[in-house]
Amino acid sequence: MNIIDTDVHERAEMHALLPYLAPEWRKYITDFGWQPERLLPFAQFATGGLDRQDAKLPDGRPGGSDLSLLRSQLLDEYDIDYAVLTGWLDASALHPGWSEFKTALMSAYNDWQLETWVEREPRLLGSVHVNAHDPVGAAREIDRIGSHPKMMQVVLYFGDKAFGDPYYHPIFEAAVRNNLPVGMHHSENSPTALGFHRYFIEWHTLVPQVFMSEMVSLIFNGVFDKYPELKVIMIEGGTTYVPHLMSRADQQYKELRSEVPWVKRMPSDIIREHFRFATQPTEEMSAKQFLAMIDAVGSEDLFCFSTDYPHWDFDSPVEALPAGLPESLQRKIFYQNAQNLYPKMPALKPR
């Protein structure tokens, strides 16, 4: 069966980005020692930390740093047709300070990603990284590089900002202008409703909260009424929260829709039309339970397979979905839904 992986993380060391930065921005790293801030007060509680132990390099570099290892462990091992790179360094989840530098840094990252990964491996596809704290600069970057045939989407990592705010709308306008969906991904700077708690297990259990928060923001701020062609894929939040959010948002809309008269449809209908969801991290369930979830969301078209390679909670294509699902549904999840989401997805060779 064909497979499209919608969440694969490549990793850049800071010094690797220097050749792609103008001198006035390069000094922020070389002279000032800038490093991206990390608010999460824990390390991942796993043998390899953030990454699979076997994905780390002998020289100490983290997983996602070496193309040949990624080829071996992911693309070749599981016969992946295409994998969408979602990166690691994204200014949208960082503090808004030094915004001009971070906008330039995202341009450098995009050029580095294309040259180091995408143009060296035909099965890898890119994402346009932007600094959401500078929406005009973000739109300019999307226009600069979004037409590249192997750039599949704009990607926004989120911290604690709700992207439905009209301040961020130039980003969505540029994405639509360039016929690109927007991938939204949580980060180590994404809080729960109560911050970061005492233990990693608490934070990780509650990661879906920030996805629900972003979806509610986009829906009720009228982003899809303003940009009816926009598609969004929520990445690395799993799937099981979706039925609950649909039901809850529909009920609130029935009771409070006069507050948001620009929203013309039920939230569940907006979700079915405009949102897609990368499957990782999957939760253990039977085929019966999985099919009940599909029935609850009212569509087989919402879920797109992802591995989250090289992270510690990697989902293997062999084990991610429960045994016994109809083959037609498996095909939709493993590749057809992603084909329909990404306008520039290359054609697949039938298997």
Side-chain angles (χ1 to χ4, degrees):
M1 185 175 294
N2 296 97
I3 300 175
I4 296 172
D5 187 345
T6 57
D7 185 25
V8 174
H9 294 277
E10 81 285 6
R11 187 96 174 209
E13 296 182 274
M14 285 293 104
H15 69 81
L17 302 179
L18 295 178
Y20 304 92
L21 282 167
E24 63 265 30
W25 305 122
R26 203 177 298 157
K27 66 184 179 182
Y28 281 69
I29 297 172
T30 58
D31 297 358
F32 307 153
W34 181 86
Q35 289 289 328
E37 67 269 16
R38 182 180 189 269
L39 301 184
L40 188 69
F42 324 101
Q44 277 76 1
F45 204 76
T47 303
L50 173 63
D51 301 320
R52 287 170 30 172
Q53 182 65 39
D54 65 342
K56 301 174 104 173
L57 279 298
D59 60 10
R61 284 180 293 156
S65 299
D66 183 80
L67 177 56
S68 62
L69 187 59
L70 184 147
R71 281 192 186 116
S72 172
Q73 292 187 335
L74 180 68
L75 302 177
D76 296 341
E77 176 72 19
Y78 298 103
D79 200 12
I80 303 291
D81 292 273
Y82 294 105
V84 181
L85 296 173
T86 50
W88 156 75
L89 178 64
D90 192 286
S92 299
L94 303 178
H95 188 276
W98 278 0
S99 188
E100 298 85 357
F101 159 67
K102 290 171 183 174
T103 295
L105 186 68
M106 291 299 92
S107 294
Y109 190 91
N110 292 329
D111 291 339
W112 169 87
Q113 181 196 72
L114 283 174
E115 184 174 320
T116 307
W117 294 86
V118 174
E119 293 174 353
R120 293 175 57 196
E121 170 51 65
R123 292 169 290 183
L124 293 179
L125 306 169
S127 296
V128 181
H129 291 256
V130 298
N131 176 19
H133 303 300
D134 174 14
V136 173
R140 185 171 60 247
E141 178 64 9
I142 296 167
D143 289 335
R144 181 184 78 89
I145 206 165
S147 62
H148 190 287
K150 294 190 74 177
M151 282 298 197
M152 293 294 107
Q153 64 187 354
V154 177
V155 69
L156 293 175
Y157 276 63
F158 38 77
D160 62 355
K161 306 300 182 186
F163 288 142
D165 188 313
Y167 175 76
Y168 301 105
H169 288 192
I171 299 170
F172 302 117
E173 184 173 340
V176 170
R177 184 166 61 245
N178 287 274
N179 199 26
L180 295 172
V182 173
M184 290 193 167
H185 196 299
H186 81 97
S187 74
E188 294 172 330
N189 295 343
S190 302
T192 75
L194 299 177
F196 289 97
H197 294 250
R198 295 183 64 218
Y199 298 106
F200 177 79
I201 191 173
E202 296 180 77
W203 176 81
H204 204 251
T205 298
L206 296 171
V207 160
Q209 286 184 348
V210 74
F211 285 90
M212 290 190 282
S213 297
E214 291 291 354
M215 290 176 65
V216 166
S217 177
L218 295 175
I219 291 168
F220 290 127
N221 281 275
V223 171
F224 301 105
D225 299 272
K226 188 174 181 179
Y227 306 109
E229 298 174 15
L230 179 65
K231 304 288 186 184
V232 174
I233 178 169
M234 309 304 280
I235 304 170
E236 208 173 310
T239 60
T240 55
Y241 67 92
V242 180
H244 163 71
L245 182 61
M246 282 183 162
S247 176
R248 175 76 176 177
D250 278 359
Q251 184 61 43
Q252 295 302 299
Y253 182 69
K254 291 174 186 177
E255 297 172 357
L256 299 168
R257 62 183 178 273
S258 61
E259 185 187 13
V260 287
W262 45 83
V263 181
K264 305 300 184 183
R265 294 170 290 164
M266 294 289 284
S268 60
D269 291 332
I270 294 174
I271 291 170
R272 276 186 284 267
E273 180 177 350
H274 294 279
F275 283 97
R276 297 297 180 262
F277 303 88
T279 54
Q280 196 279 340
T282 56
E283 298 174 22
E284 294 181 13
M285 63 179 82
S286 66
K288 181 179 179 180
Q289 291 170 317
F290 193 93
L291 292 171
M293 179 178 64
I294 295 292
D295 184 61
V297 300
S299 175
E300 295 184 349
D301 302 334
L302 302 190
F303 302 147
C304 301
F305 175 73
S306 61
T307 64
D308 190 33
Y309 179 89
H311 291 166
W312 64 276
D313 50 351
F314 166 84
D315 275 352
S316 161
V318 179
E319 300 177 352
L321 299 182
L325 292 180
E327 183 174 326
S328 60
L329 177 58
Q330 292 184 56
R331 291 187 181 279
K332 285 196 169 190
I333 294 171
F334 275 120
Y335 67 94
Q336 290 175 350
N337 290 343
Q339 281 183 306
N340 293 331
L341 171 66
Y342 296 112
K344 293 191 286 187
M345 180 63 64
L348 301 180
K349 295 180 181 179
R351 298 185 188 177

